[in-house]
Amino acid sequence: MQLARVTGTVVATTAVDGLKGVKMLLIQPLTQALKPSGGPVVACDTAQAGEGDLVYYVKSREASLALDPYFVPVDATIVGIVDAV
């Protein structure tokens, strides 16, 4: 899992069947010191996060397993909102 800050919402006009109705957010990955690390990433949201929230997310195969049905084509999924660091 990695930390990120939600910076915005992504709107897609078309989506594969497994992603219809799934909220997608733009996130900025962070280092352990909460500094930006790399470029922004689009992530599916399973935690009902909002803009400005500090979240943790998973990538790769784990990202698709966090959704129902799993094995949908995603690279990142938000799995929790961070209360404190």
Side-chain angles (χ1 to χ4, degrees), residues 2 4-5 10-12 16 19-22 26 33-34 36 43 48 53 56 59 61 70-72 79 82 84:
Q2 296 182 335
R5 178 88 51 200
V10 175
V11 178
V16 298
L19 292 177
K20 290 184 179 168
V22 174
L26 191 63
L34 302 182
Q48 301 303 311
D53 284 344
Y56 56 94
K59 301 187 302 185
R61 183 174 187 261
Y70 43 84
F71 293 119
V72 291
V79 293
V82 177

